């Protein structure tokens, strides 16, 4: 179950924790092309009719094409590598996006909502910048009872119950059209604990293995996404990728 200490952290504390973890992580990592992820078949289909695109907090694992997509991230290390590859970038956070209202046809924000204290504020910002009818791709971890030390370590603030995230999205104009089981987190708790220890105590060695072995293997053995209508069955599912449609209420 989530710890009381986690719930009591302020937004500023969460921002500092996430900035510290990911700035350090991306400083030692390599940019991976969007075409290498199992999200690419869907993305390739969507970009054909979505010339105005935004991806929030991609780090060095962007899912949208580097060309003609606006990338916003808190990590300067990630932004430097994205810019070096010709991407359009801006420094910012999901709660205060430096973008005009109703300016994007496709918005991608994967593995983000669970990191911010004010997830409703984050969704309000996504709704503000999304054009009517825009496709919005989100991913969220599920089930509070599945909380582990790894969630704490990587800066998660919460896990969502399925009904909770459905209601929250609907309140901000997002309808879940499809979903797919998502994520590459190892199922072995022992392996996760070992990875955390090395990241803390043997960071350079850990990043060598991450960049050259674990991440390439994880990408190579990704399973194709199996899409189903709506939320689908979430029993035993650790994380979901959600394809949503934005329809403003006014």
């Amino acid at each position: 179950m989530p710890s009381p200490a986690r719930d009591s952290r302020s937004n500023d504390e969460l921002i500092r924790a996430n900035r510290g973890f990911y700035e350090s992580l991306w400083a030692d990592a390599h940019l991976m092309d969007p075409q290498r992820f199992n999200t690419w078949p869907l993305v390739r289909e969507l970009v054909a009719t979505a010339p105005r695109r935004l991806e929030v907090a991609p780090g060095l694992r962007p899912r949208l094409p580097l060309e003609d997509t606006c990338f916003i991230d808190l990590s300067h290390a990630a932004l430097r590598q994205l810019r070096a590859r010709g991407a359009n970038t801006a420094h910012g956070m999901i709660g205060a996006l430096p973008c005009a209202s109703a300016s994007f046809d496709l918005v991608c924000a994967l593995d983000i909502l669970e990191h911010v204290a004010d997830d409703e504020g984050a969704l309000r910002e996504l709704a503000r910048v999304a054009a009517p009818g825009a496709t919005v791709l989100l991913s969220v971890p599920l089930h509070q009872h599945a909380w582990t030390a790894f969630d704490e370590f990587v800066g998660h603030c919460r896990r969502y119950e399925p009904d909770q995230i459905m209601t929250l999205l609907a309140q901000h104009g997002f309808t879940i059209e499809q979903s797919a089981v998502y994520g590459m987190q190892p199922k072995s708790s022992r392996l996760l604990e070992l990875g955390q220890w090395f990241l803390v105590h043997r960071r350079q060695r850990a990043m060598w293995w991450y960049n050259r072995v674990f991440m390439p293997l994880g990408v190579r053995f990704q399973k194709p996404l199996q899409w189903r209508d709506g939320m689908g069955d979430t029993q035993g599912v650790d994380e979901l990728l959600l394809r949503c449609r934005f329809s403003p209420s006014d």
Side-chain angles (χ1 to χ4, degrees), residues 5-57:
R6 174 188 59 84
D7 290 336
S8 66
R9 287 189 292 177
S10 70
N11 192 55
D12 286 344
E13 289 171 328
L14 285 165
I15 291 172
R16 283 195 297 272
N18 280 289
R19 179 187 286 119
F21 180 85
Y22 287 100
E23 188 70 25
S24 179
L25 177 67
W26 300 136
D28 294 322
H30 305 307
L31 177 64
M32 191 161 286
D33 290 328
Q35 293 88 340
R36 298 189 63 185
F37 293 99
N38 61 358
T39 47
W40 183 249
L42 171 66
V43 168
R44 183 174 53 198
E45 169 195 331
L46 293 173
V47 298
T49 57
R52 303 177 300 169
R53 302 187 294 268
L54 169 69
E55 185 164 359
V56 182

Side-chain angles (χ1 to χ4, degrees), residues 52 100-107 126-136 245-248:
R52 303 177 300 169
S101 298
S103 54
F104 296 104
D105 309 299
L106 174 60
V107 177
L126 293 180
R128 181 183 67 80
V129 301
T135 296
V136 179
R245 181 73 59 188
F246 175 62
S247 302

Side-chain angles (χ1 to χ4, degrees), residues 203-232:
R203 184 168 192 85
Q204 187 173 359
R205 186 176 181 185
M207 291 308 302
W208 189 95
W209 281 93
Y210 173 79
N211 280 317
R212 293 168 176 79
V213 180
F214 295 123
M215 193 65 197
L217 283 175
V219 170
R220 181 172 183 177
F221 290 105
Q222 290 175 104
K223 296 179 180 179
L225 294 173
Q226 301 296 316
W227 292 98
R228 64 266 185 95
D229 293 337
M231 286 282 286

Side-chain angles (χ1 to χ4, degrees), residues 53-172:
R53 302 187 294 268
L54 169 69
E55 185 164 359
V56 182
L60 294 176
R61 305 292 177 257
R63 298 316 201 263
L64 300 190
L66 296 181
E67 185 178 358
D68 297 327
T69 299
C70 176
F71 295 96
I72 295 175
D73 205 288
L74 188 63
S75 167
H76 291 287
L79 293 174
R80 281 194 295 271
Q81 289 203 47
L82 288 165
R83 281 196 298 270
R85 289 284 300 275
N88 177 23
T89 67
H91 186 258
M93 298 182 295
I94 194 171
L97 296 171
C99 308
S101 298
S103 54
F104 296 104
D105 309 299
L106 174 60
V107 177
C108 183
L110 305 185
D111 302 314
I112 308 302
L113 291 181
E114 65 270 22
H115 287 272
V116 298
D118 185 9
D119 54 350
E120 291 204 49
L123 286 172
R124 279 195 298 272
E125 271 295 89
L126 293 180
R128 181 183 67 80
V129 301
T135 296
V136 179
L137 301 179
L138 303 168
S139 67
V140 292
L142 296 179
H143 309 301
Q144 292 204 43
H145 65 77
W147 182 271
T148 69
F150 184 78
D151 290 280
E152 190 85 33
F153 183 73
V154 298
H156 288 179
C157 184
R158 69 186 67 79
R159 283 174 169 265
Y160 290 93
E161 300 302 334
D163 289 346
Q164 176 191 14
I165 189 63
M166 283 184 68
T167 299
L168 189 60
L169 289 171
Q171 289 172 347
H172 292 86

